[in-house]
Amino acid sequence: MASIKKRADGKWRARYRDAEGKEHARHFDKKVDGQRWLDEVTASVLTGQYVDPRAGRETFKAYGEQWREAKPHRPATAKAVEQHLRCYAYPVLGRRSLSSIRGSDMQGWVTGLTKTHGLAASTVRTVYNTINAVFRAAVRDRLIARNPCEGMELPAIPRKKVVPLTVKQVQELAAAMPARYRALVVLGAGTGLRPGELFGLQVRHLNFLRRMVQVDQQVQQTAGHGVRVCELKTESSYRVVPLPQVVIDALAAHLEAFPAKPEEFVFSAPQGGPIVYTHFMDNAWRKAVKESGLPANTGPHALRHAYASMLIAGGESVKVVSERLGHTNAAMTLNVYSHLFPDSEDRTRKAIDAAFQDHADSVRTEVAQ
């Protein structure tokens, strides 16, 4: 129900009742403005886009905490989300009502992440994604009509070209590792598994007859240097990867030296049980990196890059490389490794020359006949 009526002071009072019977009213100098407002409200009700003007009075922090606690985040993600909100969003936006936050406010906040907090461009985007998710949820819950994060200008992330390890560097790194982890280096460079996937690999996942390894779980570190066996990062991370002979030989030698049952981990901590990432880095990886003369910032992910580079050098398509790495799509693969794919200029020249050559040969054949 909606109506518009002129008041004694000459202003026009437009009002309507929502689905719950609550009355909403606004005053206008002109009747046409009041009628336009009522028309817009009526249209939003009919299209299912109506938002109660009072719904957005909830503070960003109150709604953000409600949203955070309801999300089924994994432990590592939950920890990051809580930090993003507590450290970067709540101090600026926490006490403000959802409906009072404008796009310009959010743009200033995004810029402040770099200027005030000194965050790198990639970190700014990660934090922004969390806050953007809160506002998207508020729109879905009909607390606000629009997401103030829409159209944000985010800092550009400088592209760093991956410089993969050479085969010789991989071999030297493996030789410098403790005996119990040498095959892990070969496996990482020979299959492209992520560090957590390497740590989560159990003997039952290896199929020496079919020369394949099944990837269906990972080991993640938790607070207090604990670990948990959990699901993989994405649906596409679940995959079966071919085992090259060099990897099979390394694994066979490893399991002979460090026997394990089907349900036990292929690689375990010295005291037994799953590998704790920080212990592995402190007690094995960094020492081996230094001994083999690699840059100090070389991490286990370098083995994955080495694998991708060898596939690309071997002529594998971006689709195959993407599938082997467990990427969500080929675009993600190209974003990281596009500079490693062979230049197409020579192939373009050869293709055109070949086409014209075939035509010339055809003409000569016809003339000869």
Side-chain angles (χ1 to χ4, degrees), residues 5-196:
K5 186 177 180 180
K6 192 171 186 179
R7 292 168 50 92
D9 59 4
K11 290 186 177 292
W12 292 87
R13 184 172 186 263
R15 63 175 183 169
Y16 70 94
R17 292 186 183 276
D18 60 25
E20 297 178 357
K22 296 179 181 178
E23 183 180 285
H24 304 270
R26 285 183 62 179
H27 297 87
F28 300 88
D29 292 329
K30 298 178 180 180
K31 183 178 181 180
V32 66
D33 293 333
Q35 189 60 56
R36 184 181 297 112
W37 177 69
L38 287 177
D39 292 342
E40 291 173 355
V41 170
T42 302
S44 67
V45 171
L46 292 175
T47 58
Q49 298 178 338
Y50 173 75
V51 175
D52 187 333
R54 292 173 292 189
R57 294 176 182 175
E58 187 172 6
T59 66
F60 178 83
K61 182 176 182 179
Y63 183 75
E65 287 300 283
Q66 174 188 330
W67 171 85
R68 182 177 66 83
E69 293 173 3
K71 293 291 288 184
H73 288 139
R74 294 188 296 178
T77 304
K79 181 179 179 181
V81 165
E82 188 277 333
Q83 183 185 42
H84 295 166
L85 291 168
R86 172 174 49 83
C87 297
Y88 305 115
Y90 291 158
V92 179
L93 308 169
R95 295 183 179 180
R96 295 186 58 175
S97 66
L98 289 167
S99 59
S100 72
I101 300 173
R102 301 170 299 173
S104 57
D105 298 325
M106 295 311 302
Q107 186 63 68
W109 172 78
V110 166
T111 303
L113 292 177
T114 300
K115 291 186 175 180
T116 303
H117 296 282
L119 300 185
S122 58
T123 306
V124 169
R125 287 175 177 261
T126 303
V127 174
Y128 163 80
N129 287 338
T130 296
I131 280 59
N132 186 33
V134 175
F135 280 114
R136 287 204 312 267
V139 172
R140 288 195 302 270
D141 286 343
R142 303 290 175 81
L143 298 181
I144 52 177
R146 291 189 62 189
N147 179 355
C149 285
E150 291 180 359
M152 289 297 101
E153 294 183 19
L154 301 175
I157 299 177
R159 284 202 172 188
K160 294 182 180 179
K161 289 187 176 181
V162 169
V163 181
L165 301 179
T166 64
V167 171
K168 182 181 179 182
Q169 287 175 320
V170 171
Q171 292 173 331
E172 291 174 347
L173 178 62
M177 292 287 282
R180 68 185 311 111
Y181 297 136
R182 285 171 188 163
L184 183 148
V185 173
V186 178
L187 178 63
T191 61
L193 269 62
R194 299 176 176 93

Side-chain angles (χ1 to χ4, degrees), residues 78-355:
K79 181 179 179 181
V81 165
E82 188 277 333
Q83 183 185 42
H84 295 166
L85 291 168
R86 172 174 49 83
C87 297
Y88 305 115
Y90 291 158
V92 179
L93 308 169
R95 295 183 179 180
R96 295 186 58 175
S97 66
L98 289 167
S99 59
S100 72
I101 300 173
R102 301 170 299 173
S104 57
D105 298 325
M106 295 311 302
Q107 186 63 68
W109 172 78
V110 166
T111 303
L113 292 177
T114 300
K115 291 186 175 180
T116 303
H117 296 282
L119 300 185
S122 58
T123 306
V124 169
R125 287 175 177 261
T126 303
V127 174
Y128 163 80
N129 287 338
T130 296
I131 280 59
N132 186 33
V134 175
F135 280 114
R136 287 204 312 267
V139 172
R140 288 195 302 270
D141 286 343
R142 303 290 175 81
L143 298 181
I144 52 177
R146 291 189 62 189
N147 179 355
C149 285
E150 291 180 359
M152 289 297 101
E153 294 183 19
L154 301 175
I157 299 177
R159 284 202 172 188
K160 294 182 180 179
K161 289 187 176 181
V162 169
V163 181
L165 301 179
T166 64
V167 171
K168 182 181 179 182
Q169 287 175 320
V170 171
Q171 292 173 331
E172 291 174 347
L173 178 62
M177 292 287 282
R180 68 185 311 111
Y181 297 136
R182 285 171 188 163
L184 183 148
V185 173
V186 178
L187 178 63
T191 61
L193 269 62
R194 299 176 176 93
E197 295 169 348
L198 291 171
F199 299 160
L201 194 66
Q202 296 178 324
V203 177
R204 63 184 175 87
H205 294 128
L206 301 174
N207 189 324
F208 289 108
L209 184 62
R210 294 184 57 213
R211 297 158 60 89
M212 308 289 276
V213 57
Q214 181 179 348
V215 186
D216 66 12
Q217 66 181 31
Q218 65 175 325
V219 166
Q220 281 191 339
Q221 184 168 335
T222 60
H225 298 282
V227 294
R228 63 189 285 264
V229 179
C230 58
E231 68 282 357
L232 296 177
K233 188 176 182 181
T234 63
E235 189 62 33
S236 56
S237 296
Y238 292 86
R239 62 199 189 280
V240 176
V241 181
L243 285 176
Q245 189 60 47
V246 64
V247 175
I248 291 177
D249 293 342
L251 286 173
H254 172 80
L255 290 174
E256 183 178 357
F258 303 93
K261 298 177 181 178
E263 298 299 322
E264 293 180 334
F265 294 105
V266 175
F267 306 103
S268 58
Q271 69 276 14
I275 296 173
V276 179
Y277 182 81
T278 51
H279 294 171
F280 171 77
M281 293 297 291
D282 293 340
N283 301 324
W285 182 267
R286 291 193 180 95
K287 294 179 181 179
V289 164
K290 184 177 181 180
E291 185 177 329
S292 55
L294 293 174
N297 64 350
T298 303
H301 218 78
L303 301 176
R304 186 167 162 85
H305 295 324
Y307 174 72
S309 70
M310 285 186 278
L311 291 187
I312 294 169
E316 290 286 15
S317 68
V318 64
K319 181 177 182 296
V320 170
V321 177
S322 179
E323 290 174 351
R324 297 286 185 263
L325 293 173
H327 281 168
T328 303
N329 51 54
M332 181 182 296
T333 308
L334 284 173
N335 188 47
V336 180
Y337 302 111
S338 60
H339 64 289
L340 297 180
F341 281 89
D343 197 305
S344 64
E345 291 179 0
D346 286 337
R347 291 200 300 270
T348 299
R349 296 187 187 101
K350 290 178 181 178
I352 302 302
D353 286 340

